[in-house]
Amino acid sequence: MGLEAAIEAAAEFLNKSVKPVMVAGAKLRVAKASNAFVELADSCGYPVAVMPSAKGMIPEHHPHFIGTYWGAVSTAFCAEIVESSDAYLFAGPIFNDYSSVGYSLLLKKDK
């Protein structure tokens, strides 16, 4: 029941947003959930980025792929798209000094 409630709350939040984005992290590999992540991206149509530690887990030829989100050294315009989004769905992220390049991520907790 807890998982269902969490999914409903996340779906409600994302459905209210105007500019949502999905970002894949390395823990998707451990959970064996990268295929499910791609299926979700296919069904919702949100832009998809990967963290550097998740490169290769999401096909870069995917129609919604926008690049690697890596703080100040992200793929061109990827950081701007993610950080200006009104809702983020980070799946399996690892936030540390490596993933942010020692940079304060401009992500807001309420999004």
Side-chain angles (χ1 to χ4, degrees):
M1 282 178 43
L3 179 59
E4 288 178 21
I7 291 170
E8 287 178 22
E12 181 180 338
F13 179 74
L14 291 167
N15 288 335
K16 288 181 183 176
S17 66
V18 176
K19 194 176 157 189
V21 67
M22 296 172 54
V23 183
K27 290 184 181 180
L28 283 178
R29 183 176 291 116
V30 175
K32 297 180 178 156
S34 55
N35 289 339
F37 185 86
V38 172
E39 287 178 27
L40 178 60
D42 289 338
S43 66
C44 68
Y46 299 160
V48 176
V50 294
M51 297 181 83
S53 55
K55 283 189 65 65
M57 294 177 58
I58 307 301
E60 294 188 6
H61 63 274
H62 190 278
H64 303 292
F65 186 77
I66 59 172
T68 303
Y69 179 65
W70 199 359
V73 294
S74 296
T75 303
F77 302 106
C78 184
E80 291 85 350
I81 292 168
V82 171
E83 293 168 359
S84 68
S85 175
D86 61 343
Y88 332 109
L89 189 151
F90 277 85
I94 299 173
F95 294 110
N96 55 26
D97 286 344
Y98 173 75
S99 65
S100 68
V101 194
Y103 163 80
S104 294
L105 295 174
L106 299 175
L107 301 174
K108 296 171 181 55
K109 290 181 182 179
D110 62 332
K111 298 181 184 223

